[in-house]
Amino acid sequence: MASSSFAAMKSRPYRAQFIAYVLAMMADNVEHVISYWVVFQKFHSPALAGFAVLSHWLPFLLFSVAVGGLADRFDPRRIIQCGMLLFIVASAGWGIFFITDTLQMWHAMLLLVIHGCAGVLWQTPNQLLLYDIVGPADLPSAVRLNAMARYLGILVGPAAGGVIMLALGPSHGIILNTLFYLPMLLWLFWAPISAQGAVAKRLAVRGLSDIVQTIRVIGPYPVLISMTLLAGLTSFMIGNAYHAQMPGFAVDLGHGDPGVAYSVLLAADAAGALLAGIALEAWGRLRATPQTAIVLAILWALSLLAFASVRIYSLAIALLFAAGFFELSFNTMAQTMVQLNAAADIRGRVVGLFNMAGLGMRAFSGITVGLFGAAIGIHWSLALSAAVLLAFLFVLLRRANAQAGRTRVSGG
């Protein structure tokens, strides 16, 4: 599983993919920054912020395995392009409603759903494309670097969104944002793919039965089971629901201009993840095991529990930085283990199941953090979610340790 530092960057096609991915992810987060801020100012609704999380991730829960099946059957490049087109439609739709000042709550809800559907058409096929671009030897590097690209987009997105809003205003700025999706859309016409990936396969896409069958397939593989459970637990309880609530956290911390504080808090989370990606790539000695991934997830939950409890702005920034560092570390480690342990003929479905757990379950974090936040306050809802998650993670760690012990005994 080991590969040299920044090994994937030696591939020219991967470098092109990396740049296009950063730009698309930046555009995704510029849209979030602008739309969340305008929606917060217009409606002041924690429940709508919770719906933003629900609608963004529910498509992953419902369709990730199906999209993985489509990527097993058809060219994943074309599926990603469909996702890019939906992203463009969403950004343009926000812009039109902002310009005409006709945005209603149901308009916002519809655009948030479109944005969520775009994401599910992008992520699983893109992960399969990485395997085709760099191969299994350099896949760990490619997964880490793409996670870095994701967080680089998150880091640059708030800054770029702030500059664009200042220069053009939210209305024209979010329309300009549609252009940042074009490099990925266009590059995919020339992106390389393996012969196996390009040939249509005779695998039917059967919806719910695909999910059941994929769960049965991974049953005998403890690594696949534990990493899928890890992804599902962390996403169900917290996910990234606290991002949608960040305007509220910024106001509660009461440090200067809330808009600036909001962007800085998001940037701190992204900066920690970016540093983690660089450190893991440069060092390359942190062995990917289920136990290591679970311990990193425990540290992530502890960081967010502390963040929800503090009222000191500088300390909140430091804790979000730590949370970003640990989140990238455990997520990329889990994703790499899943891809490398999945059988080639159903890799799309297995990765889709992992994404259903890791991304789709974030829909419910809109309830645990968002909707409960409307009832008991966002600080309490995040803290309680993190505390419950910690209990589950310790159980999962005990299970992983026991499995490792049985493996050593049988191997001895």
Side-chain angles (χ1 to χ4, degrees):
M1 186 180 292
S3 58
S4 61
S5 299
F6 300 95
M9 281 297 185
K10 298 174 183 177
S11 165
R12 180 178 296 178
Y14 180 79
R15 291 197 298 271
Q17 187 276 157
F18 182 88
I19 294 170
Y21 191 91
V22 169
L23 290 173
M25 188 57 67
M26 183 191 76
D28 183 0
N29 285 278
V30 167
E31 179 177 331
H32 282 317
V33 168
I34 296 177
S35 62
Y36 285 0
W37 184 249
V38 173
V39 167
F40 175 75
Q41 294 283 359
K42 187 175 182 64
F43 300 111
H44 293 282
S45 173
L48 183 58
F51 178 83
V53 177
L54 190 68
S55 62
H56 190 82
W57 300 116
L58 191 58
F60 285 92
L61 180 67
L62 298 176
F63 306 125
S64 282
V65 175
V67 170
L70 287 174
D72 278 334
R73 190 178 186 190
F74 301 110
D75 190 336
R77 296 171 297 183
R78 306 300 163 242
I79 301 173
I80 300 170
Q81 285 175 319
C82 291
M84 292 300 108
L85 288 172
L86 285 183
F87 276 127
I88 291 171
V89 168
S91 277
W94 286 116
I96 291 171
F97 286 123
F98 292 168
I99 289 172
T100 58
D101 193 24
T102 56
L103 182 67
Q104 299 178 36
M105 191 170 289
W106 74 269
H107 296 149
M109 295 170 71
L110 176 62
L111 291 172
L112 289 167
V113 169
I114 291 173
H115 188 96
C117 291
V120 76
L121 290 173
W122 178 22
Q123 292 301 331
T124 297
N126 189 77
Q127 291 170 18
L128 298 182
L129 193 59
L130 291 183
Y131 194 96
D132 284 333
I133 292 174
V134 303
D138 292 334
L139 182 64
S141 175
V143 171
R144 284 193 297 266
L145 288 169
N146 251 50
M148 281 176 55
R150 174 175 176 262
Y151 282 97
L152 184 58
I154 294 172
L155 180 64
V156 173
V163 170
I164 290 171
M165 279 199 293
L166 286 174
L168 301 175
S171 304
H172 295 92
I174 205 164
I175 288 180
L176 173 68
N177 189 55
T178 60
L179 300 179
F180 297 123
Y181 293 112
L182 293 180
M184 177 65 80
L185 180 70
L186 298 176
W187 174 75
L188 287 165
F189 286 112
W190 295 278
I193 194 171
S194 68
Q196 182 182 8
V199 174
K201 307 174 187 67
R202 297 178 181 177
L203 296 172
V205 178
R206 299 182 297 270
L208 181 60
S209 61
D210 270 341
I211 299 175
V212 175
Q213 179 61 30
T214 306
I215 292 173
R216 289 174 179 166
V217 167
I218 70 170
Y221 300 94
V223 171
L224 296 179
I225 288 290
S226 61
M227 291 301 93
T228 302
L229 284 173
L230 174 64
L233 286 171
T234 54
S235 296
F236 180 89
M237 294 308 307
I238 297 177
N240 70 339
Y242 60 98
H243 288 181
Q245 304 293 346
M246 205 62 76
F249 282 112
V251 170
D252 291 345
L253 286 166
H255 183 85
D257 180 81
V260 175
Y262 160 58
S263 295
V264 171
L265 290 172
L266 286 177
D269 188 74
L274 186 60
L275 178 62
I278 295 171
L280 291 173
E281 275 295 293
W283 188 35
R285 295 181 183 177
L286 188 61
R287 185 165 171 259
T289 66
Q291 296 97 314
T292 304
I294 295 166
V295 168
L296 290 167
I298 288 171
L299 294 172
W300 173 68
L302 286 171
S303 299
L304 290 177
L305 175 59
F307 167 73
S309 305
V310 302
R311 293 295 189 274
I312 302 172
Y313 182 65
S314 58
L315 183 55
I317 291 174
L319 288 167
L320 282 178
F321 184 90
F325 186 98
F326 294 128
E327 183 185 14
L328 181 135
S329 300
F330 84 78
N331 268 324
T332 58
M333 191 174 290
Q335 182 183 322
T336 300
M337 284 188 279
V338 166
Q339 287 223 46
L340 291 178
N341 285 277
D345 58 336
I346 59 164
R347 183 174 292 113
R349 284 171 167 80
V350 174
V351 173
L353 181 66
F354 176 79
N355 284 340
M356 185 188 80
L359 299 177
M361 287 295 181
R362 292 185 177 187
F364 297 103
S365 69
I367 298 173
T368 58
V369 177
L371 297 183
F372 284 171
I376 64 175
I378 55 177
H379 294 271
W380 273 105
S381 65
L382 178 56
L384 289 173
S385 295
V388 173
L389 173 61
L390 283 168
F392 283 125
L393 290 176
F394 280 113
V395 172
L396 189 60
L397 180 60
R398 178 187 293 182
R399 181 181 182 275
N401 284 332
Q403 180 61 45
R406 287 194 294 269
T407 301
R408 283 193 296 269
V409 170
S410 62

mmCIF file of all heavy atoms in Angstrom, residues 211-230:
data_model
loop_
_atom_site.group_PDB
_atom_site.id
_atom_site.type_symbol
_atom_site.label_atom_id
_atom_site.label_comp_id
_atom_site.label_asym_id
_atom_site.label_seq_id
_atom_site.Cartn_x
_atom_site.Cartn_y
_atom_site.Cartn_z
ATOM 1 N N ILE A 211 -27.812 -2.375 -2.994
ATOM 2 C CA ILE A 211 -27.294 -2.054 -1.665
ATOM 3 C C ILE A 211 -27.201 -3.311 -0.820
ATOM 4 O O ILE A 211 -26.173 -3.595 -0.195
ATOM 5 C CB ILE A 211 -28.183 -1.002 -0.974
ATOM 6 C CG1 ILE A 211 -28.210 0.300 -1.796
ATOM 7 C CG2 ILE A 211 -27.694 -0.727 0.440
ATOM 8 C CD1 ILE A 211 -29.164 1.344 -1.257
ATOM 9 N N VAL A 212 -28.283 -4.106 -0.812
ATOM 10 C CA VAL A 212 -28.315 -5.341 -0.021
ATOM 11 C C VAL A 212 -27.239 -6.305 -0.488
ATOM 12 O O VAL A 212 -26.499 -6.895 0.321
ATOM 13 C CB VAL A 212 -29.712 -5.995 -0.112
ATOM 14 C CG1 VAL A 212 -29.717 -7.338 0.609
ATOM 15 C CG2 VAL A 212 -30.769 -5.062 0.464
ATOM 16 N N GLN A 213 -27.101 -6.471 -1.811
ATOM 17 C CA GLN A 213 -26.118 -7.401 -2.346
ATOM 18 C C GLN A 213 -24.698 -6.949 -2.029
ATOM 19 O O GLN A 213 -23.833 -7.770 -1.692
ATOM 20 C CB GLN A 213 -26.304 -7.530 -3.869
ATOM 21 C CG GLN A 213 -25.315 -8.470 -4.536
ATOM 22 C CD GLN A 213 -25.413 -9.897 -4.008
ATOM 23 O OE1 GLN A 213 -26.491 -10.342 -3.593
ATOM 24 N NE2 GLN A 213 -24.297 -10.617 -3.998
ATOM 25 N N THR A 214 -24.440 -5.638 -2.107
ATOM 26 C CA THR A 214 -23.097 -5.131 -1.816
ATOM 27 C C THR A 214 -22.743 -5.325 -0.353
ATOM 28 O O THR A 214 -21.605 -5.659 -0.020
ATOM 29 C CB THR A 214 -22.998 -3.641 -2.203
ATOM 30 O OG1 THR A 214 -23.395 -3.469 -3.564
ATOM 31 C CG2 THR A 214 -21.560 -3.145 -2.052
ATOM 32 N N ILE A 215 -23.712 -5.131 0.535
ATOM 33 C CA ILE A 215 -23.474 -5.382 1.961
ATOM 34 C C ILE A 215 -23.116 -6.851 2.178
ATOM 35 O O ILE A 215 -22.209 -7.184 2.963
ATOM 36 C CB ILE A 215 -24.706 -4.984 2.788
ATOM 37 C CG1 ILE A 215 -24.896 -3.463 2.753
ATOM 38 C CG2 ILE A 215 -24.571 -5.462 4.234
ATOM 39 C CD1 ILE A 215 -26.182 -2.984 3.398
ATOM 40 N N ARG A 216 -23.808 -7.760 1.480
ATOM 41 C CA ARG A 216 -23.485 -9.182 1.606
ATOM 42 C C ARG A 216 -22.082 -9.480 1.089
ATOM 43 O O ARG A 216 -21.349 -10.285 1.677
ATOM 44 C CB ARG A 216 -24.508 -10.013 0.818
ATOM 45 C CG ARG A 216 -25.892 -10.048 1.450
ATOM 46 C CD ARG A 216 -26.881 -10.761 0.545
ATOM 47 N NE ARG A 216 -28.212 -10.833 1.140
ATOM 48 C CZ ARG A 216 -29.309 -11.160 0.484
ATOM 49 N NH1 ARG A 216 -29.228 -11.458 -0.820
ATOM 50 N NH2 ARG A 216 -30.483 -11.189 1.090
ATOM 51 N N VAL A 217 -21.703 -8.824 0.011
ATOM 52 C CA VAL A 217 -20.383 -9.061 -0.586
ATOM 53 C C VAL A 217 -19.258 -8.671 0.359
ATOM 54 O O VAL A 217 -18.256 -9.377 0.492
ATOM 55 C CB VAL A 217 -20.255 -8.300 -1.926
ATOM 56 C CG1 VAL A 217 -18.805 -8.269 -2.399
ATOM 57 C CG2 VAL A 217 -21.146 -8.943 -2.981
ATOM 58 N N ILE A 218 -19.407 -7.527 1.049
ATOM 59 C CA ILE A 218 -18.312 -7.060 1.910
ATOM 60 C C ILE A 218 -18.349 -7.714 3.293
ATOM 61 O O ILE A 218 -17.414 -7.540 4.078
ATOM 62 C CB ILE A 218 -18.323 -5.526 2.068
ATOM 63 C CG1 ILE A 218 -19.513 -5.051 2.912
ATOM 64 C CG2 ILE A 218 -18.303 -4.846 0.713
ATOM 65 C CD1 ILE A 218 -19.440 -3.591 3.290
ATOM 66 N N GLY A 219 -19.406 -8.500 3.582
ATOM 67 C CA GLY A 219 -19.549 -9.120 4.889
ATOM 68 C C GLY A 219 -18.330 -9.892 5.368
ATOM 69 O O GLY A 219 -17.926 -9.774 6.526
ATOM 70 N N PRO A 220 -17.698 -10.726 4.508
ATOM 71 C CA PRO A 220 -16.540 -11.510 4.963
ATOM 72 C C PRO A 220 -15.242 -10.704 5.093
ATOM 73 O O PRO A 220 -14.213 -11.282 5.474
ATOM 74 C CB PRO A 220 -16.390 -12.572 3.852
ATOM 75 C CG PRO A 220 -17.678 -12.570 3.104
ATOM 76 C CD PRO A 220 -18.168 -11.166 3.188
ATOM 77 N N TYR A 221 -15.268 -9.417 4.786
ATOM 78 C CA TYR A 221 -14.048 -8.614 4.779
ATOM 79 C C TYR A 221 -14.090 -7.599 5.919
ATOM 80 O O TYR A 221 -14.727 -6.539 5.802
ATOM 81 C CB TYR A 221 -13.885 -7.904 3.438
ATOM 82 C CG TYR A 221 -13.804 -8.869 2.274
ATOM 83 C CD1 TYR A 221 -14.947 -9.216 1.555
ATOM 84 C CD2 TYR A 221 -12.588 -9.454 1.919
ATOM 85 C CE1 TYR A 221 -14.887 -10.113 0.497
ATOM 86 C CE2 TYR A 221 -12.515 -10.349 0.856
ATOM 87 C CZ TYR A 221 -13.665 -10.672 0.153
ATOM 88 O OH TYR A 221 -13.598 -11.567 -0.889
ATOM 89 N N PRO A 222 -13.407 -7.890 7.044
ATOM 90 C CA PRO A 222 -13.489 -7.007 8.219
ATOM 91 C C PRO A 222 -13.056 -5.569 7.951
ATOM 92 O O PRO A 222 -13.633 -4.637 8.511
ATOM 93 C CB PRO A 222 -12.541 -7.684 9.222
ATOM 94 C CG PRO A 222 -12.461 -9.105 8.797
ATOM 95 C CD PRO A 222 -12.596 -9.092 7.307
ATOM 96 N N VAL A 223 -12.049 -5.374 7.093
ATOM 97 C CA VAL A 223 -11.580 -4.016 6.812
ATOM 98 C C VAL A 223 -12.676 -3.204 6.132
ATOM 99 O O VAL A 223 -12.947 -2.057 6.512
ATOM 100 C CB VAL A 223 -10.311 -4.038 5.932
ATOM 101 C CG1 VAL A 223 -9.959 -2.624 5.465
ATOM 102 C CG2 VAL A 223 -9.137 -4.626 6.710
ATOM 103 N N LEU A 224 -13.341 -3.804 5.150
ATOM 104 C CA LEU A 224 -14.413 -3.096 4.448
ATOM 105 C C LEU A 224 -15.569 -2.790 5.390
ATOM 106 O O LEU A 224 -16.139 -1.696 5.356
ATOM 107 C CB LEU A 224 -14.898 -3.916 3.253
ATOM 108 C CG LEU A 224 -13.888 -4.154 2.126
ATOM 109 C CD1 LEU A 224 -14.508 -5.008 1.026
ATOM 110 C CD2 LEU A 224 -13.399 -2.835 1.545
ATOM 111 N N ILE A 225 -15.910 -3.754 6.237
ATOM 112 C CA ILE A 225 -17.012 -3.554 7.180
ATOM 113 C C ILE A 225 -16.679 -2.442 8.169
ATOM 114 O O ILE A 225 -17.477 -1.518 8.395
ATOM 115 C CB ILE A 225 -17.327 -4.860 7.928
ATOM 116 C CG1 ILE A 225 -18.001 -5.871 6.999
ATOM 117 C CG2 ILE A 225 -18.223 -4.589 9.135
ATOM 118 C CD1 ILE A 225 -19.417 -5.494 6.590
ATOM 119 N N SER A 226 -15.502 -2.501 8.790
ATOM 120 C CA SER A 226 -15.166 -1.523 9.834
ATOM 121 C C SER A 226 -15.026 -0.119 9.276
ATOM 122 O O SER A 226 -15.460 0.854 9.904
ATOM 123 C CB SER A 226 -13.883 -1.938 10.561
ATOM 124 O OG SER A 226 -12.789 -1.996 9.674
ATOM 125 N N MET A 227 -14.455 0.010 8.074
ATOM 126 C CA MET A 227 -14.282 1.349 7.504
ATOM 127 C C MET A 227 -15.610 1.929 7.013
ATOM 128 O O MET A 227 -15.837 3.131 7.101
ATOM 129 C CB MET A 227 -13.257 1.314 6.362
ATOM 130 C CG MET A 227 -11.836 1.055 6.830
ATOM 131 S SD MET A 227 -11.213 2.292 8.026
ATOM 132 C CE MET A 227 -11.616 1.534 9.611
ATOM 133 N N THR A 228 -16.503 1.079 6.536
ATOM 134 C CA THR A 228 -17.831 1.556 6.147
ATOM 135 C C THR A 228 -18.625 1.974 7.384
ATOM 136 O O THR A 228 -19.318 3.001 7.377
ATOM 137 C CB THR A 228 -18.582 0.473 5.363
ATOM 138 O OG1 THR A 228 -17.813 0.109 4.208
ATOM 139 C CG2 THR A 228 -19.939 0.981 4.899
ATOM 140 N N LEU A 229 -18.499 1.208 8.479
ATOM 141 C CA LEU A 229 -19.149 1.595 9.733
ATOM 142 C C LEU A 229 -18.570 2.903 10.274
ATOM 143 O O LEU A 229 -19.314 3.764 10.760
ATOM 144 C CB LEU A 229 -18.988 0.489 10.776
ATOM 145 C CG LEU A 229 -19.875 -0.747 10.623
ATOM 146 C CD1 LEU A 229 -19.469 -1.817 11.629
ATOM 147 C CD2 LEU A 229 -21.351 -0.376 10.797
ATOM 148 N N LEU A 230 -17.259 3.057 10.191
ATOM 149 C CA LEU A 230 -16.625 4.292 10.654
ATOM 150 C C LEU A 230 -17.156 5.490 9.878
ATOM 151 O O LEU A 230 -17.528 6.523 10.463
ATOM 152 C CB LEU A 230 -15.109 4.193 10.484
ATOM 153 C CG LEU A 230 -14.312 5.469 10.797
ATOM 154 C CD1 LEU A 230 -14.440 5.843 12.268
ATOM 155 C CD2 LEU A 230 -12.848 5.294 10.406
#
